[in-house]
Amino acid sequence: MTSFNALYQPWIPVIDRDGGHRELGILETLKKAHELETITDSSPLVEFGIYRLLIAFAIDAFGISEIEKLEELVGRGKFDAKIIEDYVNSVGIERFDLFNAEHPFLQSPLRA
């Protein structure tokens, strides 16, 4: 069966602070966000979409419901990797697989 887990498999185009270009999965992007310069893509719409996805992920993972909590999170300068990992484990790693038969990541499952 085909699998592509967006958490781990590289697909987010980033530039690090040394100017290096590479692709990272969601987890590595968030864990190394403080070491990255930017997310980059030839399409501003793709860039915006990736940032929006990562922001939604972080807001859910860190339980942000008030602007003050968001300010506090940003003020820390980096994400707590343990909180991110706990969140992923509570949701289920399989929920981030693009080809999951029951719950494909950010898609509706195909019906026979």
Side-chain angles (χ1 to χ4, degrees), residues 18 47 55:
D18 296 327
E47 277 185 32
I55 290 167

Side-chain angles (χ1 to χ4, degrees), residues 4-14 22-33 36 39 50 53-54 57 79 84 88 96 98 105:
F4 185 95
N5 194 300
L7 287 174
Y8 301 106
Q9 293 186 254
W11 64 275
I12 300 173
V14 301
R22 58 190 166 146
E23 291 186 348
L24 305 173
I26 292 172
L27 287 182
E28 195 171 5
T29 300
L30 291 173
K31 289 179 182 180
K32 294 184 176 187
L36 303 174
I39 291 171
I50 293 170
L53 171 69
L54 294 172
F57 185 102
F79 294 117
I84 293 171
V88 167
F96 297 91
L98 294 177
F105 184 55

